[in-house]
Amino acid sequence: MTNIVAPFGYNPPDEETVSADIFRNGMAALSSAVTVVTTDGPHGPHGFTASAVCSVSDTPPTLLVCVNRSTSAHPYILEHGVLAINVLHEGQDHLSNAFSSRSRSMAERFAAGKWHKGLTGAPVLDDALVSFDCRIREIRDVGTHTVIIAHVVDVTMGKSGTRSGLVWFNRQYSQTIPK
């Protein structure tokens, strides 16, 4: 079987696609880690809750994060060029809720946790399971989101030991169960 790779920008002929509702229902069955993505720079600290984060490569260490362009932090993350991906543990759903709330100011969001500046200057959550401090390397607009490819310059392992990771599954918080 031959692998056919469509060139970037390829637009398939008109095909029927599933509705957004059907797609969202299907994605509800895909569990994902809950993270708070943060940045800091000339426009101050900004952040949002994300579940669309994944590893791209370990050589060089690279992560991918998808940012909805309607998220208030979107323009600042791109302009600052740095971000920290803070992976939450069970019991930190209040942080996820704070950073996903459109009614909370950035000051209120950041007041919900304790932070320190990472190597890039991005805010790193003191008690995250793990935090990845990154510089943006590439961006692509896809649909309603910007896909960010980020080079990891530092990793801060949390002191929470065997705490369970906070997971988003079936439109609600759940947790991993450590062995």
Side-chain angles (χ1 to χ4, degrees), residues 10-173:
Y10 169 76
N11 290 321
D14 288 337
E15 298 177 20
E16 284 200 37
T17 59
V18 298
S19 70
D21 286 339
I22 290 172
F23 178 73
R24 284 188 207 107
N25 289 339
M27 290 305 294
L30 177 62
S31 62
S32 54
V34 179
T35 68
V36 170
V37 178
T38 57
T39 190
D40 201 353
H43 301 286
H46 288 80
F48 69 100
T49 299
S51 59
V53 174
C54 70
S55 169
V56 174
S57 173
D58 65 355
T59 310
T62 307
L63 294 172
L64 174 151
V65 60
C66 298
V67 185
N68 191 313
R69 285 194 297 279
S70 69
T71 299
S72 62
H74 180 270
Y76 306 108
I77 287 172
L78 298 183
E79 189 170 326
H80 293 163
V82 298
L83 55 88
I85 299 168
N86 302 281
V87 181
L88 303 183
H89 59 72
E90 47 87 18
Q92 290 182 313
D93 51 309
H94 68 284
L95 273 169
S96 173
N97 291 335
F99 277 85
S100 64
S101 172
R102 293 185 185 267
S103 65
R104 291 196 185 182
S105 70
M106 287 300 159
E108 290 171 315
R109 294 177 189 195
F110 280 95
K114 293 182 181 173
W115 307 86
H116 66 273
K117 286 198 177 284
L119 292 177
T120 66
V124 172
L125 181 62
D126 287 351
D127 61 345
L129 276 181
V130 62
S131 295
F132 300 93
D133 194 9
C134 306
R135 291 196 185 281
I136 295 174
R137 291 293 182 232
E138 293 181 44
I139 59 170
R140 300 260 190 232
D141 285 337
V142 179
T144 57
H145 286 63
T146 296
V147 178
I148 295 175
I149 306 295
H151 175 73
V152 180
V153 299
D154 194 29
V155 176
T156 303
M157 298 300 295
K159 297 178 178 84
S160 56
T162 59
R163 295 205 69 168
S164 298
L166 186 63
V167 174
W168 187 249
F169 176 70
N170 203 22
R171 296 182 176 92
Q172 63 186 356
Y173 294 114

